[in-house]
Amino acid sequence: MADTVSEHFIDILKRCKQSSKEAVENLESFSTFKTYMHIQRPVELELENHINNAYTALNARLILVCGGVGDGKSHILSYLKNKYDFLNDPTVFYLHNDATESFSPHKTSIETLASVLSNFSDEGLQQNNTQNIILAINLGALNNFIDSEYGESFKRLRSYVEQKKILESVISNEASEDDHIFQYVNFSDYHMYQLTDQGPRSSYIKGILNKITQKTQDNPFYQAYLRDVAADNELAAKNPILQNYELLQQDIIQQRIIDLLIQAMVKEKLLISTRALLDFIYNILVPSSMENATHQQIQNMIHSQDFESYTKCLLPFQLFEKIDASAIHQAIDRINPTRIRSEVLDDHLIGFKSRKDGAYLFAQYIDINHLSYFARGLIPNSPWRNPEDKSQAFKRTLTKLFVYLYYLIPKASHTSFKDKVYEEFMRNLFYWNKKEISKLSKLYREDVRDAIYKWNGEGNSDLIYVQIGQPQTQYYALQKLEIEPHIIRTSSTTENELYKFLTMMTLQFKVRNVNYIDDNTIPSIDIDFSLYSLLLQIKNGYRPNKKDKFQFIKFVEFIDKLSNAGNQVEEIVFESKQFGKSTRYRLKYDATFDQYSFMET
């Protein structure tokens, strides 16, 4: 590792910044710092296996390393190139990063790709070449290439991509006759977290946090921290950056942060790269006021800071209130614990107003020992003891801090911030990806089915509202519609921890007694967390508004497909709602006598 003896803690931390040279990836270099920070991922093992198989194979292989922007393709390829000497031998392997490399400024990216892959064109495959190619390519670029005019020369490659469903939201293990020529790993199939029946977890994020916080000789962060503490113990105790680092070392804090990040990825559909994750960690440790400062400038700031300024620099505020720092912070702001209300939490917040000194609540409900300097200074600096106008703002700051700390380090475990809908969705997502259909009965038969029938209004039994003409407030039309889940049964996986999975559940429903051409013509709907959350609200009585129907237009189309297969040609029920009273009339077609009957029901 590079000489870090003279570096202070803030200097080491700056390597995590998005703007740091350490954050820039290229296939030719892999620094000592990156080697230390490297965490092995399942997708890396899959890729490494393909590379080793290609190295020992008689014929050349093309390994597609697919995915999206910033998902770590370049980092892992750089790491493996540093690990295996044969990857640096151009006669054996050629590594091409489609996002960054081009032979000529006069060539388009597709022309460049056609030239690079010429040995794997339909004609080139007849030449028995021996040079393997590893191609790092985003899914969009791969799609553009095989659909281009050059794709006509790569029919076998296109067939392989289609058969493996690489460009679809499907995880396929189907064998291909060209598996001995083409191999692929799709980073989009892997995520920063894994699914279990006990909820999601992230060994990868946990690994990154451990690399930064572990108390070992080879950890440059921890060694720099120790040097700063030893240089001036008294000043270090007042240093919010060092205090934040000590907080981050706590396992419970790490777990809460991991939970927040997974929630942000699921609820806000946030894609987090390793680069963005490291930048986020830097931002929650270093307050904005000290962000671009040197070690000496930070020392000077600490000398002059008061207790209130110190408090605002603590990790909870950097985690929840530094909204403009990154896309991760913006997503976390939308799931901020201060947005959640519970009876227990409300009782505590009332205590801040009813007690003579709200500082007492910190000692009673927060594991305050994790904040030694704050704990010592809270009572003598309590704004409740100084009834001045300016102390009111500090009271609000401390009240907010209490909520954050009650989320991060409560003295006793509690369920005040529990999100049952989220937990249920993640459990369903696990069983759906695992193909354990028996565990999804409630999802199909209650959650989704009930929402289908209640989407346009409260029907009875198997009656569903249909849209006829302009929206009405007095008269409504309903039809009989008997729907049932359509399940394609496959054997479930034996894994209890899923690293490779889809983030949306695709559910199919069919109308009873309707014949469909094949499984692909049966109506289906992709359910992510936001739609799932809305469906549960509808099941419990909420009525979707215009905004909901516009946002979830695919669900509207899904219901329409089901409704169109109903029996509205044979029978329609009209409902009149006046003065709180509901009356229903039935219009029914009698095919025997070719006539309609209309009667009250």
Side-chain angles (χ1 to χ4, degrees), residues 122-329:
D122 299 336
E123 185 179 334
L125 286 172
Q126 300 174 25
Q127 309 302 318
N128 293 322
N129 296 292
T130 57
Q131 185 195 47
N132 300 292
I133 293 180
I134 300 174
L135 172 65
I137 187 168
N138 292 333
L139 291 171
L142 177 62
N143 182 58
N144 291 339
F145 176 70
I146 64 173
D147 277 352
S148 70
E149 57 183 297
Y150 294 96
E152 287 299 309
S153 302
F154 292 83
K155 290 180 181 176
R156 287 180 70 176
L157 174 60
R158 181 167 61 191
S159 175
Y160 176 82
V161 170
E162 290 172 351
Q163 188 170 353
K164 293 294 185 180
K165 300 179 180 177
I166 296 173
L167 299 174
E168 300 176 38
S169 296
V170 176
I171 295 176
S172 173
N173 295 315
E174 189 178 340
S176 165
E177 62 180 17
D178 279 339
D179 280 340
H180 66 290
I181 299 172
F182 306 116
Q183 292 289 318
Y184 84 99
V185 291
N186 191 345
F187 276 62
S188 297
D189 291 341
Y190 292 88
H191 308 273
M192 259 197 185
Y193 59 96
Q194 58 264 29
L195 300 177
T196 77
D197 61 348
Q198 298 298 310
R201 59 184 60 151
S202 177
S203 52
Y204 183 70
I205 300 176
K206 179 67 174 173
I208 291 286
L209 291 171
N210 281 343
K211 286 283 187 180
I212 292 172
T213 60
Q214 62 190 354
K215 300 176 181 179
T216 59
Q217 289 287 336
D218 63 337
N219 181 358
F221 297 95
Y222 182 63
Q223 293 304 316
Y225 159 80
L226 290 178
R227 285 194 298 273
D228 281 5
V229 171
D232 192 331
N233 194 277
E234 186 178 342
L235 200 63
K238 304 175 185 178
N239 186 333
I241 299 176
L242 299 183
Q243 169 68 89
N244 290 344
Y245 182 67
E246 290 166 7
L247 280 174
L248 193 62
Q249 287 179 317
Q250 304 303 317
D251 188 66
I252 186 174
I253 296 277
Q254 291 187 17
Q255 194 51 57
R256 292 289 186 273
I257 290 173
I258 291 170
D259 289 344
L260 277 171
L261 291 172
I262 296 175
Q263 283 190 57
M265 286 184 268
V266 173
K267 294 180 177 180
E268 302 299 324
K269 294 187 176 180
L270 183 69
L271 296 176
I272 301 178
S273 66
T274 302
R275 198 181 309 164
L277 176 62
L278 292 172
D279 187 63
F280 167 75
I281 293 170
Y282 171 84
N283 277 309
I284 64 174
L285 293 176
V286 182
S288 300
S289 58
M290 300 178 179
E291 192 166 321
N292 296 311
T294 63
H295 171 73
Q296 189 54 55
Q297 288 171 332
I298 291 172
Q299 298 289 89
N300 295 338
M301 290 180 193
I302 295 168
H303 272 296
S304 60
Q305 78 180 356
D306 58 20
F307 186 75
E308 184 174 351
S309 299
Y310 166 83
T311 300
K312 289 179 179 177
C313 289
L314 291 174
L315 183 143
F317 288 108
Q318 309 315 307
L319 175 61
F320 291 113
E321 301 205 348
K322 209 172 181 180
I323 301 170
D324 296 330
S326 68
I328 300 178
H329 278 86

Side-chain angles (χ1 to χ4, degrees), residues 350 358 433 466:
I350 290 169
N433 277 282
V466 292

Side-chain angles (χ1 to χ4, degrees), residues 446-448 450-452 455 525 527 530-540 555:
E446 293 183 34
D447 301 342
V448 180
D450 283 5
I452 291 171
W455 182 263
I525 183 65
I527 300 179
S530 58
L531 177 55
Y532 179 78
S533 180
L534 177 64
L535 296 184
L536 288 196
Q537 290 179 58
I538 292 169
K539 174 188 166 187
N540 294 322
F555 192 73

Side-chain angles (χ1 to χ4, degrees), residues 106 329 376 533 582 596-597:
H106 304 296
H329 278 86
R376 290 197 305 272
S533 180
S582 177
Y596 286 91
S597 60

Side-chain angles (χ1 to χ4, degrees), residues 424 428 437-454 461 482-487 489 507-510 512 527 532 535-536 539:
E424 204 171 302
N428 285 329
I437 301 301
S438 61
K439 301 285 180 67
L440 298 174
S441 174
K442 179 178 176 293
L443 172 69
Y444 276 95
R445 296 199 180 280
E446 293 183 34
D447 301 342
V448 180
R449 187 183 183 280
D450 283 5
I452 291 171
Y453 281 101
K454 294 178 180 179
S461 183
E482 296 181 80
I483 63 171
E484 57 189 19
H486 176 69
I487 308 293
R489 298 200 175 275
L507 272 57
Q508 287 185 296
F509 281 81
K510 59 186 178 182
R512 194 171 295 168
I527 300 179
Y532 179 78
L535 296 184
L536 288 196
K539 174 188 166 187

